[in-house]
């Protein structure tokens, strides 16, 4: 029907658009801009021409990891061993 149903309170209205200007030309793909962790969920594409076709896609948005903290354990002496450790939340 040439429209996107955003769901209630989803915050997607300004971030979702059809990839092609006219989805009736056989491409009803949508683009979701500025992904957020809260966008994780099941999305459904429902296309109606002569019949109705429905396809669901599960989207999982993961958070970008924090900058790792790295350090050396052991004394830096030629010929000795050290341990390089990194940690990220």
């Amino acid at each position: 029907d040439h429209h996107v149903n955003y769901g209630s309170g989803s915050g997607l209205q300004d971030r979702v658009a059809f990839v092609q200007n006219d989805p009736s030309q056989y491409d009803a793909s949508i683009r979701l801009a500025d992904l957020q962790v809260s966008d994780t969920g099941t999305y459904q594409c429902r296309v109606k021409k002569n019949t109705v076709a429905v396809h669901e896609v599960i989207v999982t948005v993961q958070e970008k990891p924090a900058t790792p903290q790295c350090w050396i354990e052991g004394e830096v002496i030629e010929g000795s061993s050290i341990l390089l450790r990194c940690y990220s939340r």
Side-chain angles (χ1 to χ4, degrees):
D1 296 329
H2 296 94
H3 75 277
V4 175
N5 180 349
Y6 302 101
S8 61
S10 66
L12 294 174
Q13 289 83 348
D14 297 329
R15 299 186 295 120
V16 175
F18 286 108
V19 172
Q20 300 295 323
N21 290 336
D22 185 2
S24 68
Q25 298 301 309
Y26 305 102
D27 185 356
S29 301
I30 60 171
R31 176 171 317 204
L32 178 54
D34 188 25
L35 283 174
Q36 301 170 12
V37 174
S38 61
D39 293 331
T40 294
T42 301
Y43 292 79
Q44 183 182 82
C45 180
R46 181 180 171 104
V47 178
K48 179 181 176 186
K49 204 64 167 164
N50 298 327
T51 60
V52 175
V54 177
H55 184 76
E56 288 188 351
V57 176
I58 297 172
V59 175
T60 303
V61 182
Q62 298 179 338
E63 287 190 52
K64 179 179 174 182
T67 303
Q69 298 172 349
C70 299
W71 65 94
I72 297 172
E73 288 184 1
E75 196 172 343
V76 181
I77 300 173
E78 185 176 343
S80 67
S81 297
I82 60 168
L83 187 59
L84 303 175
R85 295 211 183 248
C86 288
Y87 173 80
S88 180
R89 293 180 185 219

